[in-house]
Amino acid sequence: PGGLGKTATHAVVFAKLITQGKDRGVHGFIVQLRSLSDHTPLPGISVGDIGPKMGFQASDNGYVRFTHVGVPLDQMLTRYAVVRADGRYE
């Protein structure tokens, strides 16, 4: 478990989906957090370690904050719903 603080490059994020001006509820997305070439956070993403944890020093737990980050349609986990290229929600 863990890895977000210093090592994770991707995360599964649950966020509110808004398409065609309608709130479609919370959906899962695979989101790239850091560059694969130099490991720096991508634009609009702040990520870091939450510091020492009693009894879990080997665990790299962290935080992430998104500021106006867009996610490509093909990164949505689509078992129960999908957004088409034209914005239709099914």
Side-chain angles (χ1 to χ4, degrees):
L4 179 61
K6 298 177 183 172
T7 58
T9 57
H10 292 74
V12 174
V13 175
F14 290 87
K16 185 186 299 188
L17 173 65
I18 299 174
T19 181
Q20 295 182 327
K22 291 186 177 180
D23 182 342
R24 306 296 185 170
V26 176
H27 291 274
F29 300 87
I30 297 174
V31 179
Q32 184 175 350
L33 305 172
R34 293 182 170 99
S35 165
L36 299 180
S37 60
D38 65 8
H39 209 62
T40 57
L42 296 179
I45 298 177
S46 298
V47 63
D49 187 62
I50 62 172
K53 294 150 292 277
M54 184 178 292
F56 293 99
Q57 298 307 327
S59 185
D60 179 25
N61 294 333
Y63 67 88
V64 64
R65 181 178 61 205
F66 300 97
T67 305
H68 303 292
V69 175
V71 180
L73 288 177
D74 64 351
Q75 299 301 107
M76 181 177 169
L77 301 176
T78 58
R79 182 172 184 179
Y80 300 108
V82 65
V83 177
R84 303 290 177 199
D86 63 3
R88 284 182 297 124
Y89 176 84
E90 299 175 352

